[in-house]
Amino acid sequence: MISVQHVFKSVTDATGTLDILRDIDFALHRGETVAIVGASGSGKSTLLSIVAGLDTPTRGTVHLDGVDLFAMDEDQRAALRAQKVGFVFQSFQLLGNLTALENVMLPLELAGRRDARTAATHMLQRVGLGERLNRYPKVLSGGEQQRVALARAFVVQPAVLLADEPTGSLDFATGDKVMELMFELNREQGTTLVLVTHDRSIAARCERRISMEAGRATELDAAAV
């Protein structure tokens, strides 16, 4: 489903060249779960952005479901993301002027789905927010906002889910509940999950773990987590 092939990322400014990613190379099969772990500044989020086609590598490429992302232009990559990729972020990224229901309906409406309201309602019920459909993000708790974000990500049944520190803004108990829900939805839909986290206990729940350090990636065995 995902093939990252000898990806390098460097940036240059007046002080010189900084290597952010150095020869990243791995592949994920359909339905696999992988955690990318490492300290701040190790390149985790940059790697996730390149896997999504939101950022471009200096060298190397990424294939998503057999398609070379960087043989496409940005409009083509955006269309592919809309079809195959869901996102969950630490900061929720909900639209404040839309209700919970409208936030979840949005990607369906953009895809031209006529059943957007029904599908979004069912997904919000699935994440335990059936009584919060018409609430705006500002009156929802952090855990509720992240569940709306999960519903929005999974409602399109993405082939790939990319999650960047999804519990980083939540307390431990709420974060644990959100992660349990994420893994449940992932199993139900057979999604390929790529999860960036600094939390080793969350990483241990994934089938595979990749450690980032100074822009380099090393796959860990279970005993190393």
Side-chain angles (χ1 to χ4, degrees):
M1 176 55 67
I2 299 172
S3 177
V4 179
Q5 300 173 352
H6 301 292
V7 163
F8 292 76
K9 178 68 176 182
S10 302
V11 294
T12 302
D13 61 17
T15 63
T17 299
L18 174 65
D19 296 322
I20 301 173
L21 298 177
R22 308 180 188 198
D23 199 16
I24 309 297
D25 195 86
F26 65 89
L28 297 177
H29 298 293
R30 192 178 303 273
E32 277 194 307
T33 59
V34 63
I36 301 174
V37 300
S40 296
S42 61
K44 304 187 303 297
S45 293
T46 299
L47 176 57
L48 197 71
S49 292
I50 288 175
V51 169
L54 294 168
D55 195 1
T56 57
T58 305
R59 289 159 49 196
T61 195
V62 175
H63 284 79
L64 178 63
D65 201 15
V67 178
D68 185 343
L69 289 181
F70 301 108
M72 310 170 78
D73 63 30
E74 177 50 41
D75 288 343
Q76 291 171 322
R77 288 197 294 272
L80 186 67
R81 282 193 296 270
Q83 293 172 359
K84 295 185 178 291
V85 182
F87 295 93
V88 180
F89 300 99
Q90 176 178 338
S91 57
F92 316 137
Q93 298 289 335
L94 301 178
L95 297 177
N97 62 327
L98 300 182
T99 65
L101 179 60
E102 290 166 342
N103 267 281
V104 179
M105 287 173 60
L106 184 59
L108 298 172
E109 290 176 327
L110 292 174
R113 289 269 299 270
R114 294 183 178 182
D115 65 339
R117 180 172 294 274
T118 298
T121 299
H122 287 166
M123 183 55 71
L124 282 166
Q125 291 170 339
R126 173 63 185 83
V127 301
L129 293 176
E131 303 300 317
R132 297 285 192 271
L133 300 180
N134 297 313
R135 301 297 176 87
Y136 289 91
K138 66 181 180 181
V139 299
L140 298 175
S141 69
E144 288 173 333
Q145 289 185 61
Q146 194 60 297
R147 280 188 279 160
V148 174
L150 284 180
R152 181 182 59 189
F154 278 105
V155 74
V156 296
Q157 297 186 312
V160 174
L161 180 71
L162 305 177
D164 193 357
E165 299 284 9
T167 62
S169 298
L170 306 175
D171 63 76
F172 176 80
T174 303
D176 190 58
K177 291 176 182 177
V178 165
M179 288 310 305
E180 184 60 38
L181 181 58
M182 177 182 288
F183 282 111
E184 283 180 12
L185 291 169
N186 193 70
R187 286 191 296 269
E188 289 172 11
Q189 295 193 4
T191 306
T192 302
L193 172 63
V194 182
L195 170 65
V196 164
T197 183
H198 67 278
D199 189 324
R200 297 272 171 166
S201 65
I202 292 175
R205 300 176 67 171
C206 292
E207 296 166 322
R208 294 170 60 186
R209 289 148 294 277
I210 294 172
S211 176
M212 296 290 299
E213 184 174 357
R216 297 189 183 277
T218 304
E219 186 145 5
L220 303 174
D221 59 31
V225 178

